[in-house]
Amino acid sequence: MVRRDLRPDSWFFSFLLGSLSRSLFAFAALAKNQTSKGFAPVTIETSTYVYDYVSTALDWWHADRYCEHHFAQLLFEPQDSEEASFSKLLQSHHIRGSVWLNERDGVLHRPQWRRNHIVPVLVFRDKTDTKYVKVLSDFPALPAVTACAHLQWDTRTQEIATIFSYAVPAFINEFQLRGFVDEEGFVRFALIVHGHHSPYLPVFRADGQWHHFCVTWQQENGTWAIYADGKRRASASGLCAVGPSAPQAIYGQGTFIIGQDQDSLGGTFKEKESFSGNITDLHIWQKVLGAEQVEKVRSCWVVEQDLVFGWSSEALEVESTVQEVTAQFLCPGPVEECRVFDVGSSGFSYASCLQSLPFICRYGKDAYQQLKKAELESSHSLVSRMNALAERTVIPENIFTSDVQDMNLSVALGALDVLATILREGETPVLESSDLLVVLQLLKRVSEVEVQEGEELEMLEQLGQYYVEVTELILEEQNIETWSSVSQVIRGPMAVVELCDRMVSHLAPLLTAGRTKITIQHGNVGMEVRKLELSRQELSSEVYLVQSPGKGRHDLIEVPAEEMQKLKARGLRRVTVKHMWFGYGSLQRCLSSAGSSAISQDMAASDQGQKYLSTTVGTAVIASTLLSDYQEVSTAVHYHLQHHVQDLPDKLVGPICAFWNFSLSPDAGGMWSTAGCSVVTSLPDSTACFCNHTTNFAVLLQMYEMQRSTKEELTLQTLTFIGCGVSFCALIVTFVLFLVVGVPKSERTTVHKNLIFALAAAEALLMFSELAKTNQVMCFTVTAFLHLFFMAAFSWMLVEGLLLWSKVVAVNMSEDRRMKFYYVAGWGLPVIIVGVTLATSFNKYVADNHCWLNVQTNVIWAFVGPVLFILAVNTFVLFRVVVVTVSSARRRSKMLTPNSSLENQIGIQIWATAKPVLVLLPVLGLTWVCGVLVHLSIIWAYVFIVLNSLQGLYIFLVYALYNSEVRNAIQRMKDKKKALSFTNCSHPINYLSSPRNTTSWETGKLSPSAAESALSSPVQKDLPAKNITSKGNFGAKIPMGMSSIMSPERPAVELTAFKSSVSKQGVLRLFSR
């Protein structure tokens, strides 16, 4: 657009300038009224808070800003129980009426620097058939469309006017917006699509003021809507719907004319259908904007996604008689409603946020006392030097009582220049508390400067340089105590990070097509803003790399390429990326001094086998934020930070990936949280992290006192590996014996086989789990299978206990039903536990430094919880078995040896108690109970590892090597082999055909082992007939008499771990030895 001089007698030009001038004057008067009046707050103190009531009425944003600049917060909604008493408290100080309330779930911060901007305005003076403006843009096919603009209607005529028309060769009236003023003084709009006409409906009054409108249409169902001044005025469906089928999209490659109706493509205009008035800020999108987006556009925020045409003088062909004005335009403000507290009625209501009301600023009691102490001790030296050097009042002498004045760009630049000079020259080596508050208040004011379009952008970049330098100077080491002294007032040192985040947003207007990145760094503080075009064919990762001063090392944060592809798939065309970096210094030390109070519950310290000491911020703080249409976009990031802690040989360090959450504990300014973050790799001097969102990140280091030396840890690891290896071999041998030697099948042998298989698999995975640490996928897989098989092992230990209980207590369930239940408990329950854990805690499943469950989250309870339950059940079962066994042994002793000595009876009872404990410990898993004693001494650690890593060997010795049935089965195999060999040599055919090989060759009697089995248990009568008739003990030669069998030294029950069918009475005699 070429700017032309306007005649001073132009009615529309005068009207336009008058309207804009009145708006700007009203706004300036409001700002002056809100900043120049002296406030006289009423102070109310309670046990926990101090309240300052400010009677001067302000809108919500100015009220919130006033409290913030005075280091307070706008009043939050009282609790229900405190509502009435708080209202009475205010009334006792003669406070009545409505006051503003703060928003707990989200602050309505509105960026004010977008409210005033320079725009080209088109002035259509009169209705003619010559005046038009053509849009120089290629329009694609539009299955959906939104057109928005600011409009000033000519009230002198009531004829129909065409605001814009879009024509294509196939259809002249393809897309139009028309309007007229009705008899009641309302402007009525009608939308035309494919020649189909919507009804004329009222949208706003013809009052000669600026109004904002949007019209939308979409192909699906022909749905359309008309918005005026942020409100939907009309909507319906069926516009251009032909029969049951959906309408066609608006054709592309057409001609778009502002101010005229096209009766032919690009021409044939009629005076009576032309537009008369002023128009600006026309934007067109190939989608339907929602109500929230329409409100943004009304407030001069450009929604860039799917934007087809943006208002620009270079994209317009202006007819010579159309007047053009470039003016400062005041955008309308948002229409949000804010909450208010009605003091008299003790109730809550809503009012427009632009309404002016009194308000209350709230201080924490400790913060208020720190503020008053800083005020009393202030020497005002920094303020005096700044004002003297600037030769004017840059900062008022008393910031605690003075009003907050608005600043423009040049004033802000000069103030920071003076402040940076004073701090740089070191005239104030250590800042006073009041000086630090002065600097922070100035940084707040600078971060709120409204950058007007058309101002010199070089000044803006220089402002950013000074801002970063001042921030770095106040974060130097010597000011640590000063930061601590005002920590309650400023709600933590992360307040300076929040201020820098506001400042970096001001650098966005500096980005152009030729300059897509701006980086500013001064010492330990850096910031960067980038503009990324997502329309490129290939998108790469976006990395912010920062070199630590004097360290020779670097920190970085990265938005992965796959995340950029996801943003592109969502329809985003470009995004703005903000980065910040705060090197290790007083900021981190102040955050560390806050201790556990700044740590959320989701990152509670885990002992990791050591004594927990403290948690400290051990790296730089790095931040990343993505914006689209000035709104934050969620995306995942990777960051890698260097540790800044000295090597401590007597301490262990555990890294935690965390971010600062301002919404947690807002009175304290926020706290650290780990939600969505995890450690990717951890090295002695650095940590790499992944987070599924963007914000301010750091690595926290948990410090532990080393309770075991490196040598002891190595010894324990070696013992574990050796023990697991021996145990694994023993379990495999035991399992093979069960399958090969022909141990009689029973419930107990089946349960043992499953237990041995699960435990062997878990032991094997445990031995080689360290090899999988370097591969994330492999480590995750190993962890899942370790979890599964160890849970299965413990589940079958539970089944062992249940099976033993079923022999002691009568259970009315058949053997088949019991085995089905046992399989469900032994394998089904572990699968369910592991599956549910993976589904609910997939990203928190694996520990950071080894392939096992994450002990820093609740995931570990998916193993510990069931194990504790199983151990509790099996402990009760063992106690019950011991009681029954001791009672049986006491009765048997009195029956068989009534005259034995007391010492002999005590010895028998002790052995009756110890024997079931020793036999059942490995299969019931009770050796794991000593794990709770590991932290008491290194001795218990050795005991725990030896007992549990050798559990498989213990099972082999008790249930295989020294088990009578296994030994008998092996012996029968040997004897049968000898018999086969002998028979094949002498009478091979007779032996093979003889069915009477039933007794010992020696005397024709049963062997002693067979006799023992026959006398001791009803098992043998239940064995299959082929076992009784075809198997004998061919090796035993010493007969056993009844006297020796019935003697107390050799009781009637032979201790064995396997019985095909054991009655309740048999179990009572099982452990009598």
Side-chain angles (χ1 to χ4, degrees):
M1 179 193 294
V2 180
R3 183 180 301 180
R4 297 174 175 83
D5 293 333
L6 299 177
R7 294 182 311 220
D9 58 346
S10 170
W11 180 87
F12 278 101
F13 181 45
S14 302
F15 182 74
L16 171 66
L17 291 182
S19 176
L20 290 175
S21 299
R22 285 192 298 273
S23 300
L24 291 173
F25 177 78
F27 178 78
L30 175 63
K32 181 178 180 181
N33 177 65
Q34 293 175 341
T35 56
S36 63
K37 287 186 178 181
F39 295 153
V42 177
T43 303
I44 305 172
E45 293 193 27
T46 65
S47 58
T48 54
Y49 295 106
V50 176
Y51 302 94
D52 274 356
Y53 172 73
V54 182
S55 59
T56 303
L58 298 178
D59 64 46
W60 188 93
W61 285 280
H62 281 88
D64 181 62
R65 179 188 175 196
Y66 174 90
C67 293
E68 183 181 0
H69 278 277
H70 284 78
F71 306 100
Q73 291 177 292
L74 195 62
L75 177 67
F76 282 97
E77 176 184 334
Q79 300 294 332
D80 293 339
S81 59
E82 303 173 352
E83 188 177 310
S85 60
F86 185 72
S87 180
K88 291 180 180 179
L89 176 65
L90 295 180
Q91 291 181 62
S92 67
H93 289 78
H94 309 289
I95 300 173
R96 289 176 175 81
S98 299
V99 294
W100 287 123
L101 284 177
N102 208 339
E103 298 287 337
R104 290 187 179 274
D105 298 331
V107 180
L108 298 172
H109 282 306
R110 177 189 57 192
Q112 298 179 5
W113 63 279
R114 293 287 301 178
R115 296 189 64 195
N116 301 298
H117 67 153
I118 307 299
V119 289
V121 178
L122 300 178
V123 179
F124 293 84
R125 180 183 177 189
D126 297 307
K127 294 173 70 69
T128 68
D129 59 358
T130 58
K131 294 179 180 178
Y132 74 93
V133 176
K134 182 179 180 181
V135 175
L136 304 178
S137 179
D138 293 330
F139 287 86
L142 301 173
V145 64
T146 298
C148 298
H150 284 91
L151 190 71
Q152 205 172 22
W153 197 271
D154 182 0
T155 58
R156 297 177 302 170
T157 177
Q158 293 184 337
E159 294 181 346
I160 292 177
T162 304
I163 294 93
F164 63 77
S165 64
Y166 176 74
V168 295
F171 215 113
I172 298 302
N173 296 323
E174 181 69 357
F175 181 45
Q176 282 190 25
L177 179 65
R178 292 186 171 196
F180 72 93
V181 180
D182 64 13
E183 295 178 353
E184 297 179 357
F186 282 93
V187 176
R188 291 176 174 264
F189 276 178
L191 187 64
I192 301 175
V193 178
H194 294 323
H196 293 265
H197 205 294
S198 76
Y200 283 96
L201 297 171
V203 289
F204 56 81
R205 280 196 172 274
D207 51 10
Q209 301 299 316
W210 283 98
H211 294 277
H212 181 262
F213 75 86
C214 286
V215 292
T216 68
W217 178 86
Q218 59 181 341
Q219 177 180 348
E220 183 179 358
N221 299 326
T223 304
W224 60 275
I226 300 177
Y227 294 82
D229 299 325
K231 301 292 185 181
R232 179 182 293 182
R233 305 298 183 183
S235 63
S237 60
L239 182 60
C240 191
V242 181
S245 62
Q248 297 294 321
I250 294 175
Y251 293 106
Q253 306 304 317
T255 301
F256 196 102
I257 299 294
I258 301 174
Q260 292 287 356
D261 177 21
Q262 305 175 61
D263 286 342
S264 63
L265 188 62
T268 315
F269 306 138
K270 296 179 181 179
E271 177 181 338
K272 64 178 182 179
E273 295 179 344
S274 64
F275 171 70
S276 177
N278 306 320
I279 188 170
T280 186
D281 259 2
L282 174 66
H283 293 80
I284 303 172
W285 294 266
Q286 56 179 345
K287 70 172 185 178
V288 173
L289 297 185
E292 183 179 353
Q293 292 174 311
V294 168
E295 176 60 26
K296 290 179 183 178
V297 175
R298 173 176 174 263
S299 302
C300 303
W301 291 64
V302 179
V303 178
E304 296 184 353
Q305 184 177 352
D306 296 322
L307 182 66
V308 175
F309 169 73
W311 189 245
S312 172
S313 59
E314 287 78 12
L316 298 175
E317 178 186 305
V318 183
E319 193 269 333
S320 60
T321 60
V322 175
Q323 297 176 330
E324 311 156 40
V325 175
T326 300
Q328 186 175 9
F329 187 75
L330 177 62
C331 296
V335 294
E336 290 99 340
E337 291 187 335
C338 299
R339 204 164 193 191
V340 298
F341 177 58
D342 299 319
V343 178
S345 60
S346 299
F348 303 98
S349 60
Y350 286 89
S352 171
C353 298
L354 294 175
Q355 182 178 340
S356 296
L357 289 175
F359 56 95
I360 296 176
C361 296
R362 189 190 74 174
Y363 300 85
K365 194 65 175 288
D366 294 338
Y368 190 78
Q369 291 175 354
Q370 282 188 355
L371 189 62
K372 289 302 177 183
K373 182 180 179 181
E375 182 180 358
L376 292 173
E377 296 176 354
S378 175
S379 63
H380 305 292
S381 58
L382 179 63
V383 174
S384 301
R385 283 197 301 273
M386 284 189 62
N387 292 334
L389 188 59
E391 297 180 351
R392 61 187 178 88
T393 303
V394 177
I395 300 177
E397 288 294 328
N398 192 338
I399 66 165
F400 305 100
T401 58
S402 301
D403 300 337
V404 179
Q405 302 294 328
D406 290 329
M407 306 179 76
N408 58 33
L409 185 57
S410 60
V411 172
L413 183 62
L416 284 189
D417 185 9
V418 171
L419 179 58
T421 301
I422 294 174
L423 295 177
R424 192 188 310 122
E425 292 175 354
E427 297 182 19
T428 309
V430 179
L431 290 174
E432 296 179 359
S433 299
S434 59
D435 293 340
L436 181 58
L437 295 178
V438 166
V439 175
L440 291 176
Q441 189 189 70
L442 179 60
L443 292 178
K444 285 182 183 179
R445 293 169 61 192
V446 172
S447 67
E448 294 171 350
V449 167
E450 295 186 3
V451 181
Q452 305 296 340
E453 294 185 12
E455 291 188 293
E456 296 183 9
L457 297 183
E458 293 77 8
M459 295 173 59
L460 182 59
E461 185 170 1
Q462 187 62 47
L463 183 69
Q465 296 281 358
Y466 286 145
Y467 202 97
V468 170
E469 182 179 1
V470 170
T471 303
E472 197 272 337
L473 290 171
I474 64 175
L475 287 175
E476 289 183 345
E477 300 285 340
Q478 66 267 22
N479 295 321
I480 292 178
E481 293 185 4
T482 308
W483 280 97
S484 299
S485 66
V486 295
S487 60
Q488 297 288 336
V489 177
I490 63 176
R491 293 188 294 277
M494 287 296 287
V496 72
V497 177
E498 193 172 18
L499 292 176
C500 288
D501 182 67
R502 298 182 191 177
M503 183 61 210
V504 72
S505 299
H506 287 321
L507 302 178
L510 297 173
L511 299 174
T512 62
R515 188 183 186 188
T516 60
K517 181 177 73 172
I518 297 172
T519 302
I520 300 175
Q521 182 172 346
H522 194 284
N524 273 334
V525 179
M527 60 176 60
E528 181 183 270
V529 60
R530 301 186 184 192
K531 182 171 66 175
L532 303 180
E533 294 291 339
L534 302 181
S535 57
R536 294 175 296 171
Q537 292 295 328
E538 294 185 4
L539 296 174
S540 59
S541 301
E542 295 298 328
V543 181
Y544 175 46
L545 187 68
V546 186
Q547 190 78 19
S548 300
K551 297 290 184 180
R553 302 185 299 177
H554 64 267
D555 298 324
L556 66 87
I557 189 166
E558 172 190 17
V559 181
E562 54 269 20
E563 293 295 324
M564 306 298 291
Q565 292 289 351
K566 291 179 182 178
L567 296 178
K568 183 178 180 180
R570 289 166 54 182
L572 300 181
R573 299 172 58 188
R574 65 182 62 88
V575 293
T576 302
V577 186
K578 300 187 302 183
H579 296 303
M580 295 186 299
W581 176 81
F582 298 85
Y584 190 81
S586 58
L587 174 66
Q588 286 79 358
R589 288 186 170 86
C590 291
L591 289 170
S592 299
S593 64
S596 59
S597 62
I599 301 174
S600 64
Q601 294 297 320
D602 62 358
M603 53 179 295
S606 62
D607 56 16
Q608 299 185 1
Q610 310 296 334
K611 181 181 178 181
Y612 170 74
L613 296 177
S614 63
T615 299
T616 183
V617 183
T619 65
V621 174
I622 198 164
S624 183
T625 306
L626 271 72
L627 301 175
S628 177
D629 297 332
Y630 306 100
Q631 294 296 310
E632 187 170 335
V633 180
S634 178
T635 184
V637 296
H638 293 275
Y639 64 94
H640 188 275
L641 300 176
Q642 302 293 327
H643 297 173
H644 291 265
V645 294
Q646 297 178 351
D647 294 333
L648 303 173
D650 59 337
K651 291 181 175 61
L652 291 177
V653 177
I656 298 176
C657 298
F659 70 97
W660 187 262
N661 191 335
F662 288 97
S663 62
L664 296 177
S665 185
D667 289 340
M671 61 197 318
W672 292 109
S673 176
T674 61
C677 296
S678 60
V679 175
V680 178
T681 57
S682 180
L683 301 174
D685 61 345
S686 64
T687 298
C689 301
F690 167 82
C691 285
N692 60 9
H693 53 81
T694 54
T695 184
N696 307 294
F697 303 103
V699 175
L700 307 186
L701 302 178
Q702 290 185 338
M703 312 297 292
Y704 301 90
E705 181 181 336
M706 294 184 62
Q707 295 183 322
R708 295 189 288 267
S709 65
T710 305
K711 183 178 180 181
E712 289 173 337
E713 290 288 346
L714 182 61
T715 303
L716 292 174
Q717 292 179 6
T718 305
L719 284 176
T720 300
F721 187 83
I722 294 174
C724 288
V726 173
S727 181
F728 175 76
C729 295
L731 290 170
I732 293 299
V733 172
T734 306
F735 190 78
V736 171
L737 285 175
F738 287 169
L739 298 178
V740 173
V741 302
V743 175
K745 293 183 179 179
S746 65
E747 285 180 312
R748 187 166 294 277
T749 57
T750 302
V751 172
H752 280 321
K753 289 177 184 178
N754 283 277
L755 170 61
I756 290 169
F757 175 79
L759 195 57
E763 300 271 7
L765 285 171
L766 183 62
M767 283 190 296
F768 298 102
S769 62
E770 289 296 309
L771 301 178
K773 285 198 307 184
T774 56
N775 189 307
Q776 189 175 1
V777 176
M778 185 64 68
C779 186
F780 189 95
T781 304
V782 168
T783 300
F785 278 104
L786 268 176
H787 189 193
L788 175 64
F789 284 116
F790 267 117
M791 277 306 312
F794 276 97
S795 297
W796 283 106
M797 293 176 195
L798 175 63
V799 171
E800 292 276 3
L802 296 176
L803 180 61
L804 189 59
W805 181 260
S806 69
K807 304 303 180 181
V808 176
V809 180
V811 177
N812 297 324
M813 185 183 294
S814 65
E815 182 175 334
D816 290 340
R817 291 179 61 190
R818 279 204 306 269
M819 283 310 304
K820 291 179 181 179
F821 171 75
Y822 293 158
Y823 274 113
V824 171
W827 291 111
L829 190 61
V831 169
I832 293 174
I833 292 175
V834 175
V836 170
T837 306
L838 287 172
T840 57
S841 305
F842 188 84
N843 294 327
K844 302 178 181 179
Y845 188 70
V846 183
D848 295 333
N849 300 319
H850 47 272
C851 300
W852 181 235
L853 300 180
N854 193 342
V855 297
Q856 297 179 0
T857 62
N858 292 327
V859 171
I860 189 62
W861 287 102
F863 176 74
V864 174
V867 167
L868 291 177
F869 172 76
I870 291 170
L871 294 180
V873 172
N874 284 354
T875 301
F876 178 75
V877 170
L878 180 61
F879 174 77
R880 178 68 173 168
V881 169
V882 169
V883 170
V884 172
T885 304
V886 172
S887 176
S888 176
R890 185 184 300 112
R891 291 196 302 268
R892 183 175 299 279
S893 175
K894 290 181 179 180
M895 179 182 68
L896 297 179
T897 56
N899 298 324
S900 61
S901 62
L902 180 62
E903 291 79 3
N904 190 24
Q905 293 183 10
I906 292 175
I908 292 174
Q909 293 183 24
I910 292 175
W911 178 239
T913 302
K915 193 165 189 178
V917 173
L918 294 174
V919 171
L920 295 177
L921 273 180
V923 293
L924 296 183
L926 298 181
T927 54
W928 288 74
V929 176
C930 65
V932 298
L933 306 175
V934 165
H935 303 303
L936 300 179
S937 172
I938 186 65
I939 303 300
W940 284 110
Y942 285 118
V943 171
F944 176 79
I945 288 178
V946 169
L947 287 179
N948 293 289
S949 63
L950 297 178
Q951 186 178 7
L953 179 62
Y954 198 5
I955 290 176
F956 169 72
L957 294 175
V958 175
Y959 291 89
L961 188 61
Y962 293 107
N963 177 260
S964 60
E965 290 192 359
V966 174
R967 294 167 65 184
N968 289 342
I970 295 174
Q971 188 62 45
R972 285 195 297 271
M973 290 181 62
K974 292 180 180 179
D975 293 343
K976 184 174 180 179
K977 186 176 181 180
K978 291 180 181 179
L980 288 172
S981 176
F982 177 79
T983 305
N984 290 335
C985 293
S986 56
H987 305 289
I989 297 178
N990 290 339
Y991 175 78
L992 293 174
S993 61
S994 174
R996 296 175 297 165
N997 184 27
T998 59
T999 60
S1000 171
W1001 284 19
E1002 192 72 27
T1003 59
K1005 300 178 181 179
L1006 290 172
S1007 65
S1009 298
E1012 284 184 32
S1013 299
L1015 290 172
S1016 64
S1017 173
V1019 169
Q1020 298 297 335
K1021 68 181 180 180
D1022 296 330
L1023 291 174
K1026 63 179 182 179
N1027 290 342
I1028 299 175
T1029 59
S1030 64
K1031 295 184 181 180
N1033 191 331
F1034 297 97
K1037 298 183 180 181
I1038 304 176
M1040 183 178 294
M1042 287 297 294
S1043 59
S1044 62
I1045 296 176
M1046 299 303 296
S1047 65
E1049 290 74 11
R1050 184 175 291 276
V1053 178
E1054 179 72 19
L1055 177 63
T1056 178
F1058 305 102
K1059 300 293 177 183
S1060 300
S1061 178
V1062 184
S1063 65
K1064 180 177 179 179
Q1065 292 77 12
V1067 172
L1068 296 180
R1069 303 194 307 272
L1070 182 61
F1071 303 106
S1072 60
R1073 185 174 178 180

